[in-house]
Amino acid sequence: MKHAVDRLEESLMAALLGAMVLLTFVNVILRYVFNMSLIWSLEVTLVLFAWFVLLGISYCVKINAHLGVDLIVNRVSPSRRRLLGLAAAAVCLAYALLLLKGAWDYWAPFAGLYETTGRWLPTGIDWNTRDRAWYETDQIPMLDFLRFLEPIINEGEEYEKLPRLVPYAALPIGAAILLYRFVRATIAIWRGNLEMLIVSHELQDSSSSQAED
């Protein structure tokens, strides 16, 4: 199951990256060879890039691939290294929680939902949230299979362009997955299965040695 999920995540990110490259390439050919262009391609590329980055951040936490400074960590004993790892994990958890709240509060109005109250942590529901479900993207055409959203969040009004709730969904989804990854990493550090949230120099040296062999 774990390998299947890994394959799914890797395939999804590869598809996003491939789609960005293909769209950019096709648009360049159309512009310089046929003197025309896909007017929506740039905006779609930006949306795909946002999804790619937000999903990639959490995936790198999962495989322990984020870079960091380990000068102090490598000079202390294993027990203190574990404490430092837990302290770093606590900071990352707090960051992910704040990011998730901010991501939800930004995205919710575009989905016809409510923001949360409270500056740092959610303390309730802001029933006075301004509904922005009718906001659309600038150039991306509306996809027919998403027409079911119209009676749900747009009072039955048809969208001419793709509603912003679709691309902006990358924010809460990415933040939620990131929080989940940090929770799993914190548990791994607590159990002694992981030392740090960053890739160590030893691991890099080991990878380099294996590549040379």
Side-chain angles (χ1 to χ4, degrees):
M1 188 65 179
K2 179 179 180 299
H3 292 303
V5 173
D6 288 344
R7 286 281 183 87
L8 179 62
E9 287 183 302
E10 292 169 359
S11 299
L12 178 58
M13 288 186 290
L16 291 172
L17 184 59
M20 285 189 287
V21 173
L22 181 61
L23 271 175
T24 303
F25 175 75
V26 169
N27 209 35
V28 168
I29 296 299
L30 290 175
R31 179 175 298 174
Y32 290 99
V33 177
F34 299 99
N35 197 28
M36 58 182 295
S37 66
L38 300 173
I39 192 172
W40 45 263
S41 65
L42 177 59
E43 191 173 9
V44 171
T45 301
L46 292 175
V47 169
L48 295 177
F49 183 73
W51 278 89
F52 177 77
V53 169
L54 291 169
L55 293 176
I57 291 172
S58 61
Y59 184 73
C60 285
V61 173
K62 177 182 179 179
I63 64 175
N64 198 30
H66 279 291
L67 300 179
V69 178
D70 58 0
L71 178 64
I72 297 177
V73 176
N74 287 335
R75 294 177 179 270
V76 300
S77 63
S79 60
R80 292 184 178 179
R81 189 178 304 165
R82 178 169 174 267
L83 290 176
L84 289 175
L86 289 172
V91 173
C92 290
L93 285 172
Y95 167 78
L97 282 169
L98 291 172
L99 184 64
L100 179 58
K101 172 179 165 45
W104 172 268
D105 289 344
Y106 184 83
W107 173 78
F110 294 101
L113 301 174
Y114 298 99
E115 301 176 13
T116 61
T117 57
R119 182 173 182 179
W120 301 106
L121 297 175
T123 57
I125 299 176
D126 184 0
W127 299 104
N128 296 318
T129 297
R130 179 188 172 198
D131 193 330
R132 294 191 283 271
W134 52 274
Y135 278 37
E136 300 175 336
T137 54
D138 293 331
Q139 303 293 345
I140 305 176
M142 179 59 179
L143 304 175
D144 287 336
F145 74 90
L146 293 176
R147 293 287 178 188
F148 73 92
L149 293 172
E150 294 169 348
I152 298 175
I153 66 172
N154 203 34
E155 300 180 356
E157 295 291 332
E158 291 188 359
Y159 285 111
E160 294 183 4
K161 306 295 182 182
L162 188 70
R164 293 191 183 186
L165 78 96
V166 177
Y168 290 177
L171 293 170
I173 292 175
I177 297 175
L178 180 63
L179 176 60
Y180 170 74
R181 298 296 190 208
F182 278 137
V183 170
R184 293 292 302 271
T186 303
I187 294 174
I189 295 175
W190 179 265
R191 292 178 176 176
N193 299 326
L194 184 67
E195 283 191 343
M196 297 180 291
L197 294 173
I198 60 173
V199 60
S200 66
H201 293 303
E202 289 80 8
L203 181 58
Q204 290 177 330
D205 293 340
S206 176
S207 300
S208 300
S209 300
Q210 292 177 359
E212 292 176 358
D213 294 339

